[in-house]
Amino acid sequence: MSTLRIGNASGFYGDRFEALREMLTGGELDVLTGDYLAELTMLILGRDRLKDPGAGYARTFLRQLEESLGLAHERGVKLVTNAGGLNPAGLADRVRELADRLGIPVRVAHVEGDDLTAQHPGSLAAHAYLGGFGIAACLREGADIVVTGRVTDAALVTGPAAAHFGWGPREYDRLAGAVVAGHVLECGTQATGGNYSFFREGDVRRPGFPLAELHEDGTAVITKHPGTGGFVDVGTVTAQLLYETGGARYAGPDVTARLDTIRLTQDGPDRVRVDGVQGEPPPPTLKVGRNRLGGFRNEVAFVLTGLDIEDKAALVRQQMDPVLAKAADVRWDLARTDHPDADTEETASALLRLVVRDPDQEVVGRSLSGAAIELALASYPGFHVLAPPGKGAPYGVFEDVYVPHGAVAHVAVLHDGRRVPVAPAQETLVLEDVPEPVLPAPLPSGPTRRAPLGLVVGARSGDKGGNANVGVWARTDEAWSWLAHTLTVDRFRALLPETADLNVTRHPLPALRALNFVVEGILGAGVAAQHRFDPQAKALGEWLRSRHLDIPEELL
């Protein structure tokens, strides 16, 4: 069958507004997807729905359609998006109303069944991660636009691929190939040079959004529209493949993709071929992301300037201790951003960050802000704060729970109102750790030089609930031989002292010349809890690349 060209126009709620139009006008497409959901987004939409039961979806998508629905219709491009969030039926209705107002005859379908909030008392939102076969059912029945709620990010690609090529639920290698392509596309411009360790190698001022040319056998080519910014090479694709993943098995509701079987080949300028992907049955359970309100949070950043930084920090902590005694969780962090003999006040200053959490808003609100402001004339010399503390804001907690496939009523609601049940996976596999792969021989010993790790490797990091992953990859076989034997778990912990007391697991992926480290608990209760300075661990990999160690001179 013909090649299926699937593009992406959104990697998160708030991504480039013009991307939908840019992708529709920039070149040939069959399907255009948009990923609007993340763990934090589900919490935001849940709070929206508390205020308005008719809300709960990504309103941006509707505004984008105002100027692009006609283009999609004229060009025969089908739109598939998870912008439905907590209310896919509501968004589907709004899209129909918009199409009627604009006089554009489109068939709109949606997918239901992910919402398990009623079964999880105390949750603001609890949603199962569905697979792609509900999307496939909608497209097979003639839908032009498919709106979903919480599906896996890759399902936005596996669904259209299964519909187009007629794949069944047990064609695991083909489905796994589509999952890998979907994972590369899901974060938009991260596949085309955005957030890339070696960003200086191309013009990434305005990267174009990616697309995949999918084939019936599950192989794909990752590329972008001609003339758009950024670049696509083996490195940009490798970086995205490592993003928010763990071990060799990348489990989903339709299939488990084996990341250790992927082959990447440069197939010309801005073209990377992806093949060799093997698939296995999905695990016996579906992941459910459960969001709840964890309490209230407030933050104060004290600016400490000049001399005696440590003593100034100690003084303000002693002065604040009495009011903090009632708080459930108190965290102080001193960032020594100050420089000796600095020629600007800002570079002579350090930041002392106080974060307080408690179930009672009053504990983190007026009593805290009042105590901090009352120190204005009664504390360390040069006292000031970056911004006045507020009254405290609610924060969220994200938790993973798991349910059997049959516990979820996955339904495709077609454009004509018919409801088509989607059968749960009939074959599943209890996932086990894959055997330790064969690593290359170490580099022969030779002269070394103390230098940043990032001179020879790239990295990308991200969040999964309270955990973070750091994917590190080498760009040559020689660098991989050194990396595989040098960056052990103990060395990783030594380079990132924040991880010293946490459980760290290393997953080698030789086919990608990569190591993937999973750090458990570093993000506390998840991104919505704002547990650390970088709450989504987006820069954890770049911190690792900045650390110095002895590197063979032949690699530098």
Side-chain angles (χ1 to χ4, degrees):
M1 300 180 73
S2 61
T3 299
L4 180 68
R5 291 174 62 88
I6 302 183
N8 170 280
S10 176
F12 66 99
Y13 191 9
D15 208 345
R16 188 186 305 168
F17 186 87
E18 298 83 4
L20 195 66
R21 171 176 283 274
E22 291 173 1
M23 288 299 289
L24 289 170
T25 59
E28 182 183 351
L29 281 178
D30 300 303
V31 179
L32 184 56
T33 66
D35 180 7
Y36 292 78
L37 300 184
E39 294 168 2
L40 179 60
T41 311
M42 298 297 280
L43 180 71
I44 293 170
L45 295 177
R47 293 175 61 186
D48 287 348
R49 193 169 59 172
L50 285 178
K51 301 173 187 175
D52 176 6
Y57 53 80
R59 300 176 189 272
T60 304
F61 179 68
L62 275 179
R63 301 205 317 270
Q64 290 173 303
L65 281 188
E66 284 270 1
E67 61 177 43
S68 298
L69 183 58
L71 274 172
H73 178 65
E74 291 167 10
R75 295 169 183 245
V77 178
K78 296 183 181 295
L79 303 178
V80 179
T81 179
N82 60 17
L86 279 57
N87 188 6
L91 179 57
D93 286 341
R94 301 293 85 75
V95 172
R96 293 186 188 99
E97 293 168 3
L98 173 65
D100 289 344
R101 177 163 58 82
L102 297 176
I104 300 172
V106 294
R107 293 164 291 191
V108 184
H110 72 276
V111 177
E112 293 181 352
D114 60 298
D115 191 349
L116 303 182
T117 306
Q119 302 171 31
H120 294 269
S123 295
L124 189 60
H127 291 255
Y129 287 71
L130 303 180
F133 280 99
I135 296 169
C138 294
L139 292 171
R140 285 171 176 157
E141 293 296 326
D144 301 304
I145 300 175
V146 181
V147 173
T148 78
R150 180 73 277 185
V151 295
T152 64
D153 301 335
L156 301 177
V157 170
T158 59
H164 181 79
F165 295 117
W167 294 340
R170 294 193 179 187
E171 298 190 57
Y172 296 126
D173 288 350
R174 291 177 169 88
L175 289 167
V179 163
V180 168
H183 181 58
V184 174
L185 296 188
E186 71 184 54
C187 288
T189 54
Q190 280 197 168
T192 58
N195 299 356
Y196 183 53
S197 292
F198 306 106
F199 66 95
R200 293 181 296 177
E201 296 180 357
D203 184 356
V204 295
R205 288 174 294 176
R206 189 178 173 85
F209 277 69
L211 63 93
E213 299 171 355
L214 270 103
H215 306 287
E216 195 274 338
D217 62 357
T219 63
V221 171
I222 307 299
T223 184
K224 64 187 185 70
H225 283 325
T228 55
F231 59 101
V232 179
D233 66 15
V234 169
T236 66
V237 174
T238 299
Q240 179 54 27
L241 283 173
L242 296 173
Y243 181 65
E244 296 182 347
T245 59
R249 285 187 164 101
Y250 185 57
D254 297 323
V255 64
T256 297
R258 288 291 296 263
L259 302 184
D260 56 347
T261 64
I262 299 171
R263 290 193 301 262
L264 301 180
T265 310
Q266 198 71 38
D267 196 42
D270 294 321
R271 293 177 62 83
V272 172
R273 180 174 176 79
V274 184
D275 61 14
V277 185
Q278 296 177 17
E280 299 170 337
T285 55
L286 294 177
K287 175 181 172 179
V288 178
R290 187 166 64 187
N291 290 274
R292 60 180 174 84
L293 293 178
F296 296 87
R297 175 187 183 280
N298 209 346
E299 179 176 334
V300 188
F302 300 90
V303 182
L304 315 175
T305 305
L307 305 178
D308 306 319
I309 295 295
E310 300 284 347
D311 291 334
K312 289 172 179 174
L315 173 58
V316 76
R317 290 186 62 164
Q318 292 166 2
Q319 291 177 308
M320 292 293 295
D321 276 348
V323 75
L324 299 177
K326 298 179 181 179
D329 182 50
V330 177
R331 177 165 177 161
W332 291 94
D333 291 295
L334 177 59
R336 292 301 301 265
T337 52
D338 55 303
H339 299 272
D341 194 22
D343 57 5
T344 68
E345 182 178 334
E346 185 172 4
T347 55
S349 299
L351 294 177
L352 178 63
R353 183 168 173 253
L354 167 64
V355 177
V356 184
R357 296 181 181 85
D358 195 85
D360 184 352
Q361 186 173 16
E362 175 59 28
V363 172
V364 304
R366 285 176 295 187
S367 59
L368 172 69
S369 57
I373 295 304
E374 287 170 6
L375 296 179
L377 303 179
S379 189
Y380 59 85
F383 179 98
H384 65 288
V385 296
L386 284 184
K391 61 182 180 180
Y395 72 89
V397 172
F398 179 85
E399 301 163 324
D400 288 347
V401 294
Y402 293 85
V403 299
H405 283 257
V408 175
H410 190 177
V411 177
V413 184
L414 306 183
H415 62 278
D416 57 9
R418 286 180 293 146
R419 300 177 63 85
V420 178
V422 179
Q426 299 302 304
E427 181 181 25
T428 61
L429 176 69
V430 177
L431 301 185
E432 299 176 351
D433 291 337
V434 299
E436 182 77 12
V438 176
L439 298 177
L443 278 185
S445 59
T448 62
R449 188 192 333 151
R450 196 79 176 166
L453 176 63
L455 293 183
V456 294
V457 303
R460 179 162 288 165
S461 55
D463 62 300
K464 278 294 182 184
N467 302 336
N469 89 289
V470 184
V472 186
W473 79 95
R475 302 205 285 178
T476 66
D477 290 339
E478 294 76 18
W480 166 237
S481 295
W482 173 78
L483 177 68
H485 294 278
T486 300
L487 195 56
T488 62
V489 167
D490 287 343
R491 180 66 60 82
F492 181 93
R493 286 194 175 114
L495 293 173
L496 302 184
E498 188 180 353
T499 70
D501 298 324
L502 300 175
N503 187 35
V504 178
T505 306
R506 184 181 104 145
H507 301 280
L509 297 169
L512 298 175
R513 294 191 299 223
L515 302 172
N516 208 358
F517 294 87
V518 177
V519 185
E520 297 180 21
I522 191 171
L523 303 180
V527 56
Q530 303 257 323
H531 177 71
R532 67 189 293 272
F533 168 68
D534 173 17
Q536 292 180 281
K538 299 302 186 188
L540 198 58
E542 287 302 295
W543 178 24
L544 178 65
R545 291 182 70 239
S546 75
R547 297 308 310 270
H548 290 220
L549 68 169
D550 295 325
I551 299 175
E553 288 190 349
E554 67 177 281
L555 301 180
L556 295 171

